[in-house]
Amino acid sequence: MLVSTPIGNLGDLSPRAVEALASADLVACEDTRHSGRLLAHLGLRDRQLLRLDRHREVSGAERVVEVLARGGRVAVVSDAGTPAVSDPGHRLVERIVEAGYEVRAVPGPSAALAALVVSGLPTDRFVVEGFLPRGGVERAERIGELVAESRTAVIFESPHRVGETLTDLAEACGPERPVAVSRELTKLHEETWRGSLGDAAAELDELRGEVVIVLGPAAEIVRPDDATLVRALDEAVAAGRSRRDAVREVSARFDVPRNEVYELATRRSDEG
């Protein structure tokens, strides 16, 4: 049973989640100390705990399968929110399914969904990016993919790196791209900032508490019709550009593949 736990406010723990934890023979968790405190709060200090972080997920999965094979019940939790969403869990689920056992979920708190629905940004299509790579080519590639992302993107970030990430996003996606930045969701000092990436990068440096960035989708690019492109080509040639330079200039100006503009230029030349 994958059990969602509070992301800050203990009042968000559902009765069904409490029941699942109370009836479990084993609680597989990301951090035994963190989950131990939650169980103690519920009066379940006698629950058997198994640490199942990213480094132990594969090996720990075998222990879980053993318990299930004996007819036992296993509850899986992360430090906060829904297991397997930017937290350990998916490889465990894969192994349990492979072993022939049923997997169920106790839905509940999710930082990604909470930040998304309060952002004021489109929610009909979205993607959870989780934590971006800290640096190097991999980080540049991931951010590059977000430039043309047509869905709202949910990004997790540590408080002391949020300023750097907002700056990188503003440089890549443009300062006018809409964004919402939430911190301390469901807690006493919950706060959501809404505006543009440029303003966010300038105003938000290091924040306190857990942070979720919700990046608005890229603006839809409408391809100009052929008549508009031909007119732009004619204007460029009239201004003294060679056909090759005119094609390059119009392609960049309207963000249309160069081969398409070249085909129009060739057709125009044949007609002329």
Side-chain angles (χ1 to χ4, degrees):
M1 189 78 74
L2 301 177
V3 182
S4 297
T5 56
I7 59 176
N9 192 321
L10 287 175
D12 293 335
L13 190 67
S14 71
R16 185 172 172 228
V18 175
E19 180 183 352
L21 292 171
S23 63
D25 299 294
L26 176 69
V27 176
C29 55
E30 193 175 358
D31 187 321
T32 55
R33 293 167 300 179
H34 184 95
S35 296
R37 289 193 291 270
L38 174 63
L39 293 172
H41 171 76
L42 298 174
L44 302 173
R45 292 180 176 84
D46 60 340
R47 296 302 92 176
Q48 185 177 3
L49 297 175
L50 170 67
R51 186 168 182 176
L52 205 71
D53 58 19
R54 295 190 186 281
H55 304 292
R56 297 175 173 84
E57 186 174 358
V58 174
S59 59
E62 299 307 320
R63 172 80 182 284
V64 170
V65 170
E66 289 174 5
V67 173
L68 295 174
R70 296 197 302 267
R73 295 184 176 184
V74 179
V76 181
V77 298
S78 61
D79 284 351
T82 302
V85 180
S86 291
D87 279 325
H90 80 273
R91 289 184 291 181
L92 171 63
V93 171
E94 183 179 47
R95 179 67 185 96
I96 293 173
V97 171
E98 181 185 75
Y101 297 101
E102 187 176 14
V103 179
R104 293 185 178 181
V106 178
S110 166
L113 292 179
L116 174 69
V117 297
V118 303
S119 69
L121 296 168
T123 59
D124 53 337
R125 297 179 67 232
F126 65 92
V127 58
V128 179
E129 282 289 329
F131 287 93
L132 296 176
R134 290 197 171 189
V137 175
E138 189 178 358
R139 179 179 176 86
E141 289 178 348
R142 284 278 293 280
I143 290 178
E145 292 172 358
L146 291 171
V147 172
E149 178 57 68
S150 61
R151 300 165 293 182
T152 299
V154 181
I155 302 165
F156 297 146
E157 192 51 276
S158 61
H160 64 279
R161 291 178 60 86
V162 65
E164 177 186 351
T165 293
L166 289 170
T167 298
D168 289 347
L169 288 171
E171 291 177 353
C173 301
E176 299 305 316
R177 186 86 163 257
V179 69
V181 181
S182 293
R183 71 179 190 91
E184 294 290 81
L185 286 165
T186 76
K187 299 178 183 178
L188 179 62
H189 299 292
E190 176 178 342
E191 181 180 21
T192 296
W193 184 101
R194 304 173 182 86
S196 68
L197 272 176
D199 288 342
E203 297 179 24
L204 307 178
D205 186 8
E206 185 169 325
L207 301 178
R208 290 187 177 184
E210 299 300 318
V211 177
V212 184
I213 299 170
V214 182
L215 180 66
E220 183 179 358
I221 299 176
V222 179
R223 185 191 185 283
D225 57 29
D226 289 353
T228 299
L229 296 174
V230 169
R231 186 162 53 250
L233 283 167
D234 289 344
E235 292 173 354
V237 171
R241 310 284 197 280
S242 67
R243 187 172 72 170
R244 179 179 178 182
D245 288 343
V247 167
R248 183 187 299 110
E249 182 179 296
V250 172
S251 172
R253 175 182 169 188
F254 292 97
D255 195 25
V256 175
R258 193 175 300 182
N259 65 319
E260 293 184 20
V261 181
Y262 179 80
E263 183 179 343
L264 287 173
T266 302
R267 190 187 311 162
R268 179 67 167 166
S269 178
D270 292 342
E271 292 173 354

Coordinates of all heavy atoms in Angstrom, one line a residue, residues 89-142:
G89 N 10.2 4.8 -4.8 CA 9.0 4.1 -4.9 C 8.7 3.4 -6.1 O 8.2 2.3 -6.1
H90 N 9.1 4.0 -7.3 CA 8.7 3.3 -8.5 C 9.4 2.0 -8.8 O 8.8 1.1 -9.3 CB 8.9 4.3 -9.7 CG 10.3 4.4 -10.2 ND1 11.2 5.3 -9.7 CD2 10.9 3.7 -11.2 CE1 12.3 5.1 -10.4 NE2 12.2 4.2 -11.3
R91 N 10.6 1.9 -8.4 CA 11.3 0.6 -8.6 C 10.8 -0.5 -7.6 O 10.7 -1.6 -8.0 CB 12.8 0.8 -8.4 CG 13.5 1.6 -9.5 CD 15.0 1.7 -9.4 NE 15.3 2.5 -8.3 CZ 16.6 2.8 -7.9 NH1 17.6 2.3 -8.6 NH2 16.8 3.6 -6.9
L92 N 10.4 0.0 -6.5 CA 9.7 -1.0 -5.5 C 8.4 -1.5 -6.1 O 8.1 -2.7 -6.1 CB 9.5 -0.3 -4.2 CG 8.6 -1.1 -3.2 CD1 9.3 -2.3 -2.8 CD2 8.3 -0.2 -2.0
V93 N 7.6 -0.6 -6.6 CA 6.3 -1.0 -7.3 C 6.6 -1.9 -8.4 O 5.9 -2.9 -8.6 CB 5.5 0.3 -7.7 CG1 4.3 -0.2 -8.6 CG2 5.1 1.1 -6.5
E94 N 7.6 -1.6 -9.2 CA 7.9 -2.5 -10.3 C 8.2 -3.9 -9.9 O 7.8 -4.9 -10.5 CB 9.1 -1.9 -11.1 CG 9.5 -2.6 -12.3 CD 10.7 -1.9 -13.0 OE1 11.7 -1.6 -12.3 OE2 10.6 -1.8 -14.3
R95 N 9.0 -4.0 -8.8 CA 9.4 -5.3 -8.3 C 8.2 -6.1 -7.7 O 8.1 -7.3 -7.9 CB 10.5 -5.2 -7.2 CG 11.0 -6.5 -6.6 CD 11.7 -7.3 -7.6 NE 12.0 -8.7 -7.1 CZ 11.3 -9.8 -7.2 NH1 10.2 -9.7 -7.9 NH2 11.7 -10.9 -6.7
I96 N 7.3 -5.4 -7.0 CA 6.2 -6.0 -6.4 C 5.2 -6.6 -7.5 O 4.7 -7.7 -7.4 CB 5.4 -5.0 -5.5 CG1 6.3 -4.7 -4.3 CG2 4.1 -5.6 -5.0 CD1 5.7 -3.6 -3.4
V97 N 5.0 -5.7 -8.5 CA 4.1 -6.2 -9.6 C 4.8 -7.4 -10.3 O 4.1 -8.3 -10.7 CB 3.9 -5.0 -10.6 CG1 3.2 -5.5 -11.8 CG2 3.1 -3.9 -9.9
E98 N 6.1 -7.3 -10.5 CA 6.8 -8.4 -11.1 C 6.6 -9.7 -10.3 O 6.6 -10.8 -10.9 CB 8.3 -8.1 -11.3 CG 9.1 -9.1 -11.9 CD 10.6 -8.7 -11.9 OE1 11.2 -8.8 -10.9 OE2 11.1 -8.2 -13.0
A99 N 6.6 -9.6 -9.0 CA 6.5 -10.8 -8.2 C 5.0 -11.3 -8.1 O 4.7 -12.3 -7.5 CB 7.0 -10.4 -6.7
G100 N 4.1 -10.5 -8.7 CA 2.7 -11.0 -8.8 C 1.8 -10.5 -7.7 O 0.7 -11.1 -7.5
Y101 N 2.2 -9.5 -6.9 CA 1.4 -9.0 -5.9 C 0.7 -7.7 -6.3 O 1.1 -6.9 -7.1 CB 2.2 -8.7 -4.6 CG 2.8 -10.0 -4.1 CD1 4.1 -10.3 -4.3 CD2 2.0 -10.9 -3.4 CE1 4.7 -11.5 -3.9 CE2 2.6 -12.1 -2.9 CZ 3.9 -12.4 -3.1 OH 4.4 -13.6 -2.7
E102 N -0.5 -7.4 -5.6 CA -1.2 -6.2 -5.9 C -0.7 -5.0 -5.2 O -0.2 -5.1 -4.1 CB -2.7 -6.4 -5.5 CG -3.6 -5.3 -6.0 CD -5.1 -5.6 -5.6 OE1 -5.3 -6.6 -4.8 OE2 -6.0 -4.9 -6.1
V103 N -0.7 -3.9 -5.9 CA -0.3 -2.6 -5.4 C -1.5 -1.6 -5.4 O -2.1 -1.4 -6.4 CB 0.9 -2.0 -6.2 CG1 1.3 -0.6 -5.6 CG2 2.0 -2.9 -6.2
R104 N -1.7 -1.0 -4.2 CA -2.8 0.0 -4.1 C -2.2 1.2 -3.5 O -1.1 1.2 -2.9 CB -3.9 -0.6 -3.2 CG -4.7 -1.7 -3.8 CD -5.9 -2.1 -2.9 NE -6.6 -3.2 -3.5 CZ -7.7 -3.7 -3.0 NH1 -8.2 -3.2 -1.8 NH2 -8.4 -4.7 -3.6
A105 N -3.0 2.3 -3.7 CA -2.5 3.6 -3.2 C -3.6 4.2 -2.3 O -4.8 4.1 -2.5 CB -2.2 4.6 -4.3
V106 N -3.1 4.9 -1.2 CA -4.0 5.7 -0.4 C -3.7 7.2 -0.8 O -2.7 7.7 -0.4 CB -3.7 5.5 1.1 CG1 -4.6 6.5 2.0 CG2 -3.9 4.1 1.5
P107 N -4.5 7.8 -1.6 CA -4.2 9.1 -2.1 C -4.2 10.1 -1.0 O -4.8 9.9 0.1 CB -5.3 9.4 -3.1 CG -5.9 8.1 -3.4 CD -5.7 7.2 -2.2
G108 N -3.5 11.2 -1.2 CA -3.5 12.3 -0.2 C -2.6 13.4 -0.6 O -2.5 13.8 -1.8
P109 N -1.9 14.0 0.3 CA -1.1 15.2 0.1 C 0.0 15.0 -1.0 O 0.6 14.0 -1.1 CB -0.4 15.5 1.4 CG -1.3 14.9 2.4 CD -1.9 13.6 1.8
S110 N 0.1 16.1 -1.8 CA 1.1 16.1 -2.9 C 1.6 17.5 -3.1 O 0.8 18.4 -3.4 CB 0.6 15.5 -4.2 OG 1.5 15.8 -5.2
A111 N 2.9 17.8 -2.8 CA 3.4 19.1 -3.0 C 3.2 19.6 -4.4 O 2.9 20.8 -4.7 CB 4.8 19.2 -2.6
A112 N 3.4 18.7 -5.4 CA 3.3 19.1 -6.8 C 1.9 19.5 -7.1 O 1.7 20.6 -7.8 CB 3.7 17.9 -7.7
L113 N 0.9 18.8 -6.7 CA -0.5 19.2 -7.0 C -1.0 20.4 -6.2 O -1.7 21.2 -6.8 CB -1.4 18.0 -6.7 CG -1.3 16.8 -7.7 CD1 -2.3 15.7 -7.2 CD2 -1.5 17.2 -9.1
A114 N -0.5 20.5 -5.0 CA -0.9 21.7 -4.2 C -0.4 22.9 -4.8 O -1.1 23.9 -4.9 CB -0.4 21.5 -2.8
A115 N 0.9 22.9 -5.2 CA 1.5 24.1 -5.8 C 0.8 24.4 -7.2 O 0.6 25.6 -7.5 CB 3.0 23.9 -6.0
L116 N 0.5 23.4 -7.9 CA -0.1 23.6 -9.3 C -1.4 24.2 -9.2 O -1.7 25.2 -9.9 CB -0.2 22.2 -9.9 CG -1.0 22.2 -11.3 CD1 -0.2 22.9 -12.3 CD2 -1.3 20.8 -11.7
V117 N -2.3 23.8 -8.3 CA -3.6 24.3 -8.2 C -3.7 25.7 -7.7 O -4.7 26.4 -7.9 CB -4.6 23.3 -7.5 CG1 -4.7 22.0 -8.2 CG2 -4.2 23.1 -6.1
V118 N -2.8 26.1 -6.9 CA -2.8 27.5 -6.3 C -2.0 28.5 -7.2 O -2.0 29.7 -6.9 CB -2.3 27.6 -4.9 CG1 -3.1 26.6 -4.0 CG2 -0.8 27.2 -4.8
S119 N -1.3 28.0 -8.2 CA -0.5 28.8 -9.0 C -1.2 29.8 -9.9 O -0.7 30.9 -10.2 CB 0.4 27.9 -9.9 OG -0.4 27.3 -11.0
G120 N -2.4 29.5 -10.3 CA -3.1 30.3 -11.2 C -2.7 30.1 -12.6 O -3.2 30.8 -13.6
L121 N -1.9 29.1 -12.9 CA -1.5 28.7 -14.2 C -2.3 27.6 -14.8 O -3.0 26.9 -14.0 CB 0.0 28.4 -14.2 CG 0.9 29.6 -13.8 CD1 2.3 29.1 -13.5 CD2 0.9 30.6 -14.9
P122 N -2.3 27.3 -16.1 CA -3.1 26.2 -16.7 C -2.8 24.9 -16.0 O -1.7 24.5 -15.7 CB -2.7 26.2 -18.1 CG -2.2 27.6 -18.4 CD -1.5 28.1 -17.1
T123 N -3.9 24.2 -15.7 CA -3.8 22.9 -15.0 C -4.3 21.7 -15.9 O -4.3 20.6 -15.4 CB -4.6 22.9 -13.7 OG1 -6.0 23.2 -14.0 CG2 -4.1 23.9 -12.7
D124 N -4.8 22.0 -17.1 CA -5.4 21.0 -17.9 C -4.3 20.0 -18.4 O -4.6 18.8 -18.6 CB -6.2 21.5 -19.1 CG -5.3 22.5 -19.9 OD1 -4.4 23.1 -19.4 OD2 -5.7 22.7 -21.1
R125 N -3.1 20.5 -18.6 CA -2.0 19.6 -19.0 C -0.7 20.1 -18.3 O -0.4 21.3 -18.3 CB -1.7 19.7 -20.5 CG -2.8 19.2 -21.4 CD -2.5 19.4 -22.9 NE -1.5 18.5 -23.3 CZ -0.4 18.8 -23.9 NH1 -0.2 20.1 -24.2 NH2 0.5 17.9 -24.3
F126 N -0.1 19.2 -17.5 CA 1.1 19.6 -16.8 C 2.0 18.4 -16.7 O 1.7 17.3 -16.9 CB 0.7 20.0 -15.4 CG 0.1 19.0 -14.5 CD1 0.9 18.2 -13.7 CD2 -1.3 18.7 -14.5 CE1 0.3 17.2 -12.8 CE2 -1.9 17.8 -13.7 CZ -1.1 17.0 -12.9
V127 N 3.3 18.7 -16.3 CA 4.3 17.7 -16.2 C 5.1 18.0 -14.9 O 5.3 19.2 -14.6 CB 5.3 17.7 -17.4 CG1 5.9 19.1 -17.6 CG2 6.4 16.7 -17.3
V128 N 5.4 17.0 -14.1 CA 6.2 17.1 -12.9 C 7.7 16.8 -13.3 O 8.0 15.7 -13.5 CB 5.7 16.2 -11.8 CG1 6.6 16.3 -10.6 CG2 4.2 16.4 -11.5
E129 N 8.5 17.9 -13.3 CA 9.9 17.7 -13.6 C 10.7 17.3 -12.4 O 11.8 16.8 -12.5 CB 10.5 19.1 -14.1 CG 10.1 19.4 -15.5 CD 10.8 18.5 -16.5 OE1 12.0 18.1 -16.2 OE2 10.3 18.2 -17.6
G130 N 10.2 17.5 -11.2 CA 11.0 17.1 -10.0 C 12.1 18.1 -9.8 O 12.1 19.2 -10.2
F131 N 13.2 17.6 -9.3 CA 14.4 18.4 -9.1 C 15.3 18.4 -10.4 O 15.5 17.3 -11.0 CB 15.3 17.8 -7.9 CG 14.7 18.0 -6.6 CD1 13.9 17.1 -6.0 CD2 15.0 19.2 -5.9 CE1 13.4 17.3 -4.7 CE2 14.4 19.5 -4.6 CZ 13.6 18.5 -4.0
L132 N 15.7 19.6 -10.8 CA 16.6 19.7 -12.0 C 18.0 19.3 -11.6 O 18.4 19.4 -10.4 CB 16.6 21.1 -12.4 CG 15.3 21.7 -13.0 CD1 15.5 23.2 -13.3 CD2 14.8 21.0 -14.2
P133 N 18.7 18.7 -12.5 CA 20.2 18.4 -12.2 C 20.9 19.7 -11.7 O 20.5 20.8 -12.1 CB 20.7 18.0 -13.6 CG 19.5 17.5 -14.3 CD 18.4 18.4 -13.9
R134 N 21.8 19.5 -10.9 CA 22.5 20.6 -10.2 C 23.4 21.4 -11.2 O 23.7 22.6 -10.9 CB 23.3 20.2 -9.0 CG 22.4 19.7 -7.9 CD 23.2 19.7 -6.6 NE 22.3 19.4 -5.4 CZ 22.7 19.5 -4.2 NH1 24.0 19.8 -3.9 NH2 21.8 19.3 -3.2
G135 N 23.9 20.8 -12.2 CA 24.8 21.5 -13.1 C 25.2 20.7 -14.3 O 24.7 19.6 -14.5
G136 N 26.1 21.3 -15.1 CA 26.6 20.5 -16.2 C 25.7 20.5 -17.4 O 24.7 21.2 -17.5
V137 N 26.1 19.6 -18.3 CA 25.3 19.5 -19.6 C 23.9 19.0 -19.3 O 22.9 19.4 -20.0 CB 26.0 18.5 -20.5 CG1 25.2 18.2 -21.8 CG2 27.4 19.0 -20.9
E138 N 23.8 18.1 -18.4 CA 22.4 17.5 -18.1 C 21.5 18.6 -17.6 O 20.3 18.6 -18.0 CB 22.5 16.4 -17.0 CG 21.2 15.7 -16.8 CD 21.4 14.6 -15.8 OE1 22.5 14.4 -15.2 OE2 20.3 13.9 -15.5
R139 N 21.9 19.5 -16.8 CA 21.1 20.6 -16.3 C 20.7 21.5 -17.5 O 19.5 21.9 -17.7 CB 21.8 21.5 -15.3 CG 20.9 22.7 -14.8 CD 21.7 23.4 -13.7 NE 21.0 24.6 -13.2 CZ 20.1 24.7 -12.3 NH1 19.7 23.6 -11.7 NH2 19.5 25.8 -12.0
A140 N 21.7 21.9 -18.4 CA 21.4 22.7 -19.5 C 20.4 22.1 -20.5 O 19.5 22.7 -21.0 CB 22.7 23.0 -20.3
E141 N 20.5 20.8 -20.6 CA 19.6 20.0 -21.5 C 18.2 20.0 -21.0 O 17.2 20.3 -21.7 CB 20.1 18.6 -21.8 CG 21.3 18.5 -22.6 CD 21.8 17.1 -22.8 OE1 21.3 16.2 -22.1 OE2 22.7 16.9 -23.7
R142 N 18.1 19.8 -19.7 CA 16.7 19.8 -19.1 C 16.1 21.1 -19.1 O 14.9 21.2 -19.5 CB 16.8 19.3 -17.6 CG 17.0 17.8 -17.4 CD 15.8 17.0 -17.5 NE 14.9 17.3 -16.4 CZ 15.0 16.8 -15.2 NH1 16.0 15.9 -14.9 NH2 14.1 17.1 -14.3

